[in-house]
Amino acid sequence: MLGESIDDIPMTESRAFLNGVIKILPLCFAVLPWGLLAGSMAIQAGLTTLQAIGMSALVFAGAAQLMTLGLVMAGTPAITIIISVFLITTQHYLYALYLREDISKQPLKDRLILGFLLTDELFAVSIKKQQHYIHYLLGAGLCFYICWVLFSACGVFLAAAVPNLDQYHLDFSIVATFIAIVVPFIKNLNTLVGVLVSVILTVVFLSLGLKSAAIMAGVIGMFAATCLQNFRERTA
C-alpha cells in the first residue's frame, strides 16, 4: 500500500537473507585490503595460485591465514603453527556459545554451514536478532565469504603484477575493521575499561615480543571489566 513503510512489510526468509547481506556489506568492503594482503602473502610463501585461493576458500579465517603464512615463511615448525592458530581463533568458541540457543534447533546441515561461516564480522552483525534469524545469518555469512574469497583471489593475481604488495601497509585494514566492530559495543564504563586495558596491554606485550599478546591482553581486559562491574554492584 502507498505510504506503507519498509518496516511494515512482512518479514520473509528471502528478505531476512537480503537483510543479512546488506548489514555485512560495509564490513566486506572494509576487509578488501586485508584480503589482498592475504592473497599476495600466500604467493610469497610459495603457494601456487590454486593453493592460495584454496586456502582462503577452505580456511576462511583472515587473522589465522596471515599468521600462518608469516610463520611458514619464517620456517616455523608445524606444531607451533597449529597451536598458534588454535589460540588466535579461540574467540570463535565464545561466539558459538552466544549463538548456540538459536543455532542448536536447526538441522545439522545449517549448523555446519553457519559454524564454517562464523567470523568476527558475522558475530558483529548477529547481535540484533530478528524473524528468520538463521536466514539472516546465512545471508550475511555467505556474502562475507564470497567477498573474502574474491578479494583474496585479487591479491593472488596482484602479487605478480605489483611487486612487494605487503609493503603498502594494507594490514592497517585489520586494525580499522576491528575498531569498527568493537566501538558499537562500548555502551558502558565496564566495557570501555575492558577495551582500554586490552589495547594498552596489547601494545605493551607486543613491545616485549610476546607471541600471544592480543590473546593475553584480551583475557586480562575481560577480567578487568568483570572486576569493575562486581565492584560497582557491591558499592551501589
Side-chain angles (χ1 to χ4, degrees), residues 185-199:
F185 290 99
I186 304 177
K187 298 179 179 179
N188 53 55
L189 179 62
N190 303 330
T191 307
L192 177 60
V193 169
V195 170
L196 290 176
V197 170
S198 299
V199 171

Side-chain angles (χ1 to χ4, degrees), residues 69-229:
L69 292 169
L71 293 175
V72 168
M73 288 189 286
T76 307
I79 186 63
T80 302
I81 296 176
I82 293 172
I83 294 174
S84 299
V85 169
F86 173 79
L87 291 174
I88 202 172
T89 56
T90 49
Q91 78 272 20
H92 290 82
Y93 294 102
L94 299 178
Y95 300 162
L97 286 174
Y98 175 84
L99 296 171
R100 183 183 178 188
E101 183 178 353
D102 299 286
I103 304 300
S104 61
K105 304 171 186 176
Q106 303 305 312
L108 178 61
K109 172 178 65 69
D110 291 341
R111 282 184 280 147
L112 291 175
I113 293 174
L114 287 170
F116 175 74
L117 295 175
L118 184 55
T119 58
D120 301 306
E121 291 78 9
L122 179 59
F123 180 72
V125 300
S126 72
I127 303 300
K128 186 177 181 180
K129 299 186 179 181
Q130 56 180 271
Q131 285 183 300
H132 302 298
Y133 185 55
I134 303 305
H135 292 84
Y136 168 81
L137 293 178
L138 286 172
L142 287 172
C143 177
F144 191 80
Y145 173 74
I146 292 172
C147 288
W148 173 254
V149 175
L150 289 176
F151 295 159
S152 298
C154 290
V156 169
F157 295 115
L158 280 174
V162 182
N164 302 318
L165 190 63
D166 59 317
Q167 295 181 8
Y168 287 81
H169 301 291
L170 298 177
D171 51 346
F172 175 75
S173 66
I174 301 174
V175 179
T177 301
F178 278 102
I179 289 175
I181 291 173
V182 170
V183 168
F185 290 99
I186 304 177
K187 298 179 179 179
N188 53 55
L189 179 62
N190 303 330
T191 307
L192 177 60
V193 169
V195 170
L196 290 176
V197 170
S198 299
V199 171
I200 293 171
L201 288 181
T202 298
V203 174
V204 173
F205 291 160
L206 285 174
S207 66
L208 296 175
L210 299 178
K211 297 294 184 180
S212 302
I215 296 171
M216 292 187 294
V219 171
I220 296 173
M222 288 186 289
F223 180 73
T226 302
C227 290
L228 177 60
Q229 180 178 353

